[in-house]
Amino acid sequence: LAKTTQPISMDSYEGQEVNITCSHNNIATNDYITWYQQFPSQGPRFIIQGYKTKVTNEVASLFIPADRKSSTLSLPRVSLSDTAVYYCLVGERTSGTYKYIFGTGTRLKVLA
Amino acid sequence: EPEVTQTPSHQVTQMGQEVILRCVPISNHLYFYWYRQILGQKVEFLVSFYNNEISEKSEIFDDQFSVERPDGSNFTLKIRSTKLEDSAMYFCASSDPGRGVAKNIQYFGAGTRLSVL
């Protein structure tokens, strides 16, 4: 069973752009890709969602290639408060069953 | 801003006891979900619920688990006979797929920490 994988951790400095990639080989045909931010002892918080190509909102951009087997979350200028774990979420259909799969999570540490 | 609320924030129980975790989804949402997160691990899907029935469930969601929408506002997760390995953070989420082009954005509650002793 293919996993939805992300780099375990990343370090960045304040003001830099951070790109986090998620590999999701089994994404369901009609499903969207959603990214979440999670702080310790809190629930996942919605960042951005897309289906294909590029989506941008006030906090992030999401890049999705044509085959949709991966996606990249881009945080333009990170600050210390962006230190958190970032997850992608996709729907996968395998053997006739459908379920939501979170990526393995990327722990981003922003340094001053 | 509307939010998903979960109660209690922390539940301690003895192994073998039944627990019910409660959630109030966002009021106009139609889809409801439960997830769990074991300490230090990623969030795992348990079940989705729509139109008063389970629409999808994972292999984790076995006969020990059940969900219910007992009234127009609450959505509950029951674990019949808790095991030590059920200790985790349980998150409820809700979504409204009809909101424009953004399909099925799931909004999560703050979670209930379940500790099975």
Side-chain angles (χ1 to χ4, degrees):
Chain A
L1 180 67
K3 289 173 65 175
T4 303
T5 56
Q6 302 175 229
I8 293 173
S9 64
M10 298 179 76
D11 287 351
S12 180
Y13 288 95
E14 279 191 291
Q16 288 190 328
E17 177 184 85
V18 169
N19 296 307
I20 305 173
T21 297
C22 176
S23 170
H24 32 76
N25 294 321
N26 275 352
I27 186 171
T29 303
N30 297 322
D31 207 33
Y32 281 64
I33 299 156
T34 313
W35 281 80
Y36 290 88
Q37 176 191 56
Q38 188 180 33
F39 296 112
S41 301
Q42 295 187 23
R45 182 168 151 259
F46 171 77
I47 302 173
I48 196 167
Q49 184 187 71
Y51 183 78
K52 60 181 179 181
T53 61
K54 178 184 173 184
V55 179
T56 297
N57 64 18
E58 60 275 9
V59 298
S61 294
L62 180 59
F63 300 90
I64 304 167
D67 66 1
R68 299 188 353 104
K69 293 186 184 299
S70 68
S71 59
T72 299
L73 172 73
S74 180
L75 305 173
R77 284 174 302 280
V78 295
S79 62
L80 295 175
S81 61
D82 292 321
T83 293
V85 181
Y86 292 81
Y87 291 98
C88 61
L89 173 64
V90 299
E92 292 187 359
R93 186 172 293 282
T94 51
S95 304
T97 62
Y98 180 96
K99 59 183 181 180
Y100 293 95
I101 303 292
F102 270 88
T104 47
T106 299
R107 189 173 299 275
L108 172 66
K109 186 174 181 181
V110 180
L111 307 168
Chain B
E1 182 179 307
E3 58 181 26
V4 175
T5 57
Q6 292 185 242
T7 55
S9 56
H10 190 192
Q11 173 90 50
V12 181
T13 190
Q14 295 289 327
M15 190 170 58
Q17 295 296 303
E18 175 184 285
V19 294
I20 297 176
L21 309 182
R22 302 180 192 279
C23 169
V24 178
I26 295 172
S27 63
N28 61 340
H29 284 186
L30 302 177
Y31 286 75
F32 314 112
Y33 313 82
W34 283 101
Y35 291 80
R36 80 171 185 192
Q37 186 174 33
I38 295 170
L39 186 63
Q41 298 185 23
K42 69 171 190 174
V43 181
E44 300 174 290
F45 171 71
L46 294 178
V47 65
S48 60
F49 190 87
Y50 171 71
N51 201 25
N52 282 321
E53 60 183 27
I54 291 172
S55 46
E56 304 289 347
K57 61 181 181 178
S58 72
E59 60 277 1
I60 303 170
F61 193 87
D62 62 21
D63 292 345
Q64 291 298 312
F65 291 90
S66 62
V67 289
E68 192 179 29
R69 187 153 164 83
D71 53 43
S73 60
N74 290 283
F75 179 52
T76 62
L77 174 70
K78 182 193 291 186
I79 308 175
R80 258 179 272 284
S81 176
T82 50
K83 304 188 280 279
L84 295 176
E85 54 265 37
D86 293 327
S87 294
M89 197 78 160
Y90 288 82
F91 293 108
C92 173
S94 68
S95 68
D96 174 15
R99 294 183 68 187
V101 299
K103 181 180 179 295
N104 211 28
I105 297 174
Q106 297 180 38
Y107 293 92
F108 286 77
T112 293
R113 180 170 300 284
L114 177 64
S115 299
V116 182
L117 307 178

